[in-house]
Amino acid sequence: MAYDPKNPMKDRITDIGPRHYEEFMPPVIKKNFGKWLYHEILEPGVLMHKAESGDEVYTVRVAAARLMSVELIRDALNIADKHCEGYIRWTTRNNIEFMVDNKSKLEPLKADLKANPMFPIGGTGAGVTNIVHTQGWVHCHTPAIDASGIVKAVMDDLFKHFQSMDLPAQVRIALACCLNMCGAVHCSDIAILGFHRKPPFVQHDLISSICELPLAIAACPTGAIKPATVDGKKSVSVNGPRCMFCGNCYTMCPAMPLMDAEGDCVVIMVGGKISNRISAPKFSKVVIPALPSTPPRWPETVAAIRNILEVYAKNANKYERLGEWAERIGWERFFEKCNLPFDVKTIDDYTLAYDTLRTTTQFKFS
Amino acid sequence: MAKFETPLLDDLEKGPWPSFVTDIKRQAKTKPELEDLLGQLELSYKDKETHWKHGGIVGVFGYGGGVIGRYSDMPEKFPGVAHFHTVRVNQPSGLYYSSAYLRQIMEMWERRGSGLTNMHGSTGDMVLLGTQTDQLEEIFWELTHDMNTDLGGSGGNLRTPSCCLGMSRCEYACIDAQNICHDMTQTYQDELHRPAFPYKFKIKVSGCPNDCVAAIARSDFAIIGTWRDDIRIDQAAVQGYVKGELTPNAGAHSGRDWGKFDIVKEVINLCPTKCMSWDGNALKIDNKECTRCMHCINVMPRALRPGVEKGCSILCGAKAPILEGQRLATLIVPFMKMEPPYDECKELLNKVLDWWMEHGKNRERIGELIGRVGMREFLKAAELKAIPQMVKEPRSNPYIFWEEADVPGGWERDLAAFRKKHPL
Ligand code: HEM
Ligand code: HEM
Ligand code: SF4
Ligand code: SF4
Ligand code: SF4
Ligand code: SF4
């Protein structure tokens, strides 16, 4: 039985949802489901979970580029077939986990993983794990920056911290290539964000023939696009100062491109967190409003992140997340310690700005 | 011989982190369209601009989401990626796979697509990157018939729910995150595939307040495991940590010498509610004051465990900054038991969705709607009673929109009687 284009509705199956997860759990996981006692990180990237039954499961976590080919996934599956009874899992941050039910199986598994440089072991505990990120130039139409390339450059530089647990607490890094933030960078210890800085320009001669003007006008979240007549042709005008550079108009209408090599930049935000541990979850804050977008290795971005990470690692107390440290010493001190210039652009003037202004005489001199 | 020179991308083959360039180059030997992908990507590296455009809705018949149309803006130069659409495949809860199943998907994707994937997209789906319009129905047929697998969501609908690995391998899990996620996904299939919402809606489930799937930051409806009785203490194991026989933090900080473990400094004093005490022999917790932040449990997992009366907290309305500013989800239900079939939770979700569908403007997330009309309207619609747990602090302005029914005697007044007392 196969799909018949002449009869597309015949035997059609819909609304079945995903496969049931129980089909895919290794036997030791299935057996001890909900009955785990404790875990230990034996070394960077290697976890041991102990169950009430006395069973143990050993997990080896390895990095993966989120962008993966079928062949590379098969390489991982071959290892899972050889060592893990044909089971494998991914983590929520693009890492891959291989599980074995006996300590004696651990070293052979590790040896095979170490033989393949595409599967470096690490990503546990108080270190830097994989970067959550979006598509960038490899697959999206509104990015201001690439995603996979910057992730590669930053993680090459921070690789030591992927394989050690020597930071005061875990540091979660995320990247989104435009302000739509598919990667939800707004609560990360360090966030890398692509930002356009030029409003879309309008191709007046073509726009009315290739776009539905009302859709383009309605797409703009800030109402910056208005109908206009240019050289006798129906078109639109863009109110530049109102534009927030989201690219929604370009999504609706290819005659309104906004990407621009000179204007597009990298924003660095820091101090967010998600866990409820000790302090409440927090938003990331803009500390560098713009760095140039410089493929293939974005050295300015890499250096800025390394600097912030190193200053944090040296100064924060054990258990303190980056944002907790910055709040303890005060953000004025954070800028000083990290040797970052403060700029009026770092002061919020968007919807929730007032919450971020200082309303006390208590502050620290720089 | 590669079809295009890629000197800029080649630089990304160096270094210890896995290189997507090396990976794609190898796959391109059997999937020539990836030569064009590399060529176009190299051009983007040179131009510092993307070469994709949107332009055109594609999908499978009867579904309003699950496929994202993608076209090259240089189709003559890079014909292999002229059409390069994304297919979102609904992931199994907890992201466990058997190799047999993944091999089946990979075989299909090599035949009908580019052979390139994202494991996984940020919402949680398995993302298959790059196919042509005429393949979409074929792919959907094979997924549903041969692999018993459906597409995920995109657009103004329920996005594919996701969860942490929960009870399958985490001792902290207070709810069965995977089962809740799977059950919700199945219950809301129609909402997932057929856009009827003002905008996207995300459900995420974390087993405990460590919140490994970022539910509190990223979901419109966040289900986060918690407990409401006492943290279970094994005093002997506490002693074990104090004496240095057990490794604190399950070894998470072992890469640096932080000195001898100090229970007072590292646990008692860091407890945000200061509800713990240590007299040198026994650890005491004033559990009524504990806010279940997980810190002490994370530090001493062999000595402390969440209580036994487990359930979830429900929070609503998180979103990224666009458009009305970023929001974390806000607490609407402090505690709910979570037993299949989760009817109480679904009843609440249905009320929330109905209200949002009725009052939400186009592209208004539920958090923004709550921001626009206020918690009062939300709570009325959700039939929830206001309780102090919902706020950090009470309002600091008295500008309450009183309703007539709340005021003694209502708003109708007798003018004649008033004027008798207060002549004009
Ligand atoms: C010692 C305490 C903790 C334990 C035992 C623990 C356990 C786990 C487990 C089992 C996973 C895999 C879950 C999955 O991928 O579905 C995980 C991943 C994760 N957890 Fe935790 N967690 C702990 C503390 C935290 C805290 C405090 C945070 C947040 C600040 C956190 C954030 C994360 C994140 C972001 C991931 C994805 C990791 C990756 O893929 O590299 N965890 N954790
Ligand atoms: C107005 C806001 C947004 C717009 C216009 C938007 C648009 C897009 C577009 C065009 C893509 C396709 C990229 C591709 O070709 O694969 C995409 C992917 C995606 N978006 Fe968004 N997005 C928005 C916000 C968000 C947010 C806030 C999230 C999550 C919290 C999100 C999650 C995703 C995910 C998971 C993908 C799949 C690809 C990936 O993981 O990178 N989006 N989005
Ligand atoms: S963050 Fe922006 S550019 Fe990046 S994938 Fe999402 S919508 Fe596209
Ligand atoms: S980029 Fe966004 S804000 Fe700017 S004009 Fe286009 S739709 Fe409006
Ligand atoms: S959210 Fe809690 S239960 Fe789920 S994996 Fe993380 S620590 Fe475990
Ligand atoms: S869970 Fe947090 S609040 Fe509760 S006792 Fe432990 S450290 Fe204190």
Side-chain angles (χ1 to χ4, degrees), chain B residues 267-335:
Chain B
V267 182
I268 311 295
N269 291 351
L270 287 183
C271 166
T273 60
K274 303 287 177 280
C275 68
M276 312 181 86
S277 60
W278 169 250
D279 62 8
N281 285 312
L283 179 70
K284 286 211 183 68
I285 301 178
D286 182 357
N287 280 283
K288 220 171 158 319
E289 299 307 310
C290 164
T291 49
R292 300 165 312 284
C293 81
M294 297 295 295
H295 174 63
C296 58
I297 302 178
N298 288 338
V299 176
M300 304 190 292
R302 295 181 69 164
L304 303 178
R305 304 176 76 186
V308 290
E309 205 185 332
K310 293 169 177 175
C312 74
S313 300
I314 297 179
L315 297 91
C316 190
K319 56 180 288 295
I322 192 164
L323 183 66
E324 294 296 331
Q326 68 282 13
R327 300 179 77 98
L328 286 157
T330 62
L331 186 74
I332 60 168
V333 176
F335 188 84

Side-chain angles (χ1 to χ4, degrees), chain B residues 164-166 170-174 206-213 294:
Chain B
C164 72
L165 52 46
C170 186
E171 67 268 30
Y172 299 156
C174 298
S206 272
C208 84
N210 282 334
D211 194 3
C212 295
V213 285
M294 297 295 295

